[in-house]
Amino acid sequence: MTARLLTVLVPAYRPDRIVETVQSLADQGFQDFVVRVGYDRADDYEPPDLPRAQFDLDVVQHPRRMGWVGNANALLATVDTPYFVVVAHDDTLSQTFLADAVEAMEREPDAVVVHGVTEHRGMVRAGEVSQTDAIVGSAFERMSEFIRRGPHRAELGWRGLIRREALPTVPHLRTRLSDGQFSNTLFALELLCYGESVSLDGIRYIKNTSSKGLSRDLVSRSADAKSRMLADNLACLADALAAAGDRLDLDQREHLLTEYAHWLLKLQGPWNILADEKDSSRRKLRDVRGQVASFVARALLSSVSGHARPTDETPASERRSS
């Protein structure tokens, strides 16, 4: 197999439009890539014949059910090309996205990811578009800006072209739970620790959501289960920040953890694990969330750094230099 410039990863589980997904890759004017489709085990699903073009096609049939995160991570571990992109099953790319993204990446040596505008179709947010501008600056400035914009709005890097060599370890979704809620968001945030993002004009990624692609137990999860998942996501961010080494100092890590925790605690609808703002004092609820976020950030920072963060209440004799 000839060495390629990039890898397109397609994690799939009982997809409705996998043929359309691969056809959008066959329609790319740029063809210097390998497509690697990973089918999670589903005994009631027969994969269709997929379109072929000048790209290399590699189909992986997992022998056991791995879940979204397990499937995606198994594919991510195979990347050995300078660039890669993840296209979720049933989604499609605009015809010039890969060529334009490679050109932008080679023009911007400090970029770790290039993305465009995402259009939503199907059962969730149909007709809406998601877009966010480029994020530049230092690692701390980039990650702070991501959280300030709102992670659910700024996470388009997950659907962009990524520079493999900018990442110090094998790229992977961080989670300890099978379905890894918000693991994509965390992945997009972690990318910004290692480089800037570039935003292309126009719709470049089409997100199709079908009934088979929705988590079947999302609404039925208990508040306790949701709380554990959000705590897991925050703990994974602490791990990611620890892995950043000297790119971030202790104060910056604490700030990022606190702000991200605050975002998680402000989630509304089915993910609101504290209270509904409609039935609560906004000021009181905001204060409680701020205190909880600060406490959780300090606790996590202590667990990954090996020592407690000094506070105003800590006796001077017990304080240690960080």
Side-chain angles (χ1 to χ4, degrees):
M1 184 179 294
T2 305
R4 296 294 195 173
L5 186 62
L6 69 93
T7 304
V8 180
L9 304 175
V10 186
Y13 177 66
R14 301 169 66 238
D16 288 330
R17 298 186 176 90
I18 189 71
V19 172
E20 294 177 31
T21 299
V22 179
Q23 185 61 53
S24 78
L25 302 175
D27 291 341
Q28 298 288 313
F30 174 90
Q31 289 282 306
D32 188 10
F33 57 87
V34 56
V35 176
R36 186 160 295 125
V37 179
Y39 285 109
D40 209 352
R41 179 166 180 169
D43 294 334
D44 59 345
Y45 180 80
E46 183 66 29
D49 292 333
L50 298 176
R52 303 299 293 264
Q54 297 177 36
F55 58 74
D56 299 319
L57 179 62
D58 182 15
V59 176
V60 178
Q61 296 273 6
H62 296 302
R64 61 183 177 84
R65 181 82 168 91
M66 302 182 71
W68 158 250
V69 171
N71 189 358
N73 281 344
L75 294 178
L76 285 166
T78 69
V79 174
D80 59 1
T81 53
Y83 307 123
F84 68 94
V85 61
V86 179
V87 182
H89 71 209
D90 295 341
D91 297 350
T92 57
L93 301 181
S94 68
Q95 194 168 358
T96 64
F97 172 65
L98 293 180
D100 293 345
V102 168
E103 180 182 355
M105 189 73 84
E106 296 183 345
R107 188 174 62 245
E108 302 288 346
D110 293 330
V112 67
V113 61
V114 177
H115 63 78
V117 178
T118 293
E119 178 184 355
H120 298 270
R121 299 178 184 175
M123 296 186 64
V124 178
R125 301 173 62 187
E128 293 184 21
V129 296
S130 298
Q131 58 186 22
T132 194
D133 293 335
I135 300 180
V136 299
S138 67
F140 175 68
E141 290 169 339
R142 295 190 299 263
M143 299 178 81
S144 295
E145 177 62 15
F146 180 100
I147 299 173
R148 187 196 68 79
R149 293 184 187 184
H152 56 297
R153 296 188 180 94
E155 65 178 6
L156 296 186
W158 163 246
R159 299 188 177 115
L161 181 73
I162 299 167
R163 191 190 305 272
R164 171 63 185 90
E165 65 181 11
L167 307 180
T169 60
V170 175
H172 62 287
L173 300 179
R174 294 181 182 271
T175 184
R176 300 177 184 85
L177 302 174
S178 60
D179 57 358
Q181 190 70 29
F182 304 118
S183 58
N184 300 356
T185 302
L186 186 56
F187 184 88
L189 174 58
E190 188 174 358
L191 287 177
L192 293 175
C193 187
Y194 302 104
E196 300 176 346
S197 72
V198 174
S199 178
L200 300 176
D201 293 334
I203 294 172
R204 305 296 183 137
Y205 191 104
I206 295 87
K207 174 63 182 172
N208 290 295
T209 305
S210 68
S211 59
K212 294 180 181 178
L214 297 174
S215 177
R216 296 180 179 180
D217 64 343
L218 173 62
V219 178
S220 63
R221 289 184 181 124
S222 67
D224 185 57
K226 293 173 184 176
S227 179
R228 286 197 303 271
M229 294 190 73
L230 297 185
D232 172 74
N233 188 243
L234 190 61
C236 288
L237 174 57
D239 291 339
L241 297 178
D246 59 6
R247 292 178 178 84
L248 299 166
D249 63 33
L250 200 61
D251 288 329
Q252 291 172 336
R253 294 179 195 180
E254 181 179 327
H255 175 84
L256 292 170
L257 278 168
T258 301
E259 292 303 304
Y260 192 82
H262 212 277
W263 173 71
L264 288 174
L265 294 171
K266 287 192 297 184
L267 290 171
Q268 294 298 302
W271 284 103
N272 187 333
I273 60 172
L274 289 184
D276 190 331
E277 288 192 359
K278 295 179 181 178
D279 302 321
S280 308
S281 164
R282 286 177 179 267
R283 182 173 181 178
K284 181 179 180 181
L285 191 58
R286 183 171 62 249
D287 291 344
V288 169
R289 283 175 170 152
Q291 293 168 14
V292 172
S294 179
F295 169 78
V296 171
R298 288 174 181 270
L300 287 172
L301 200 63
S302 176
S303 69
V304 298
S305 64
H307 60 272
R309 189 76 166 88
T311 68
D312 293 340
E313 292 75 27
T314 305
S317 60
E318 297 180 12
R319 296 189 184 188
R320 291 186 291 177
S321 172
S322 61

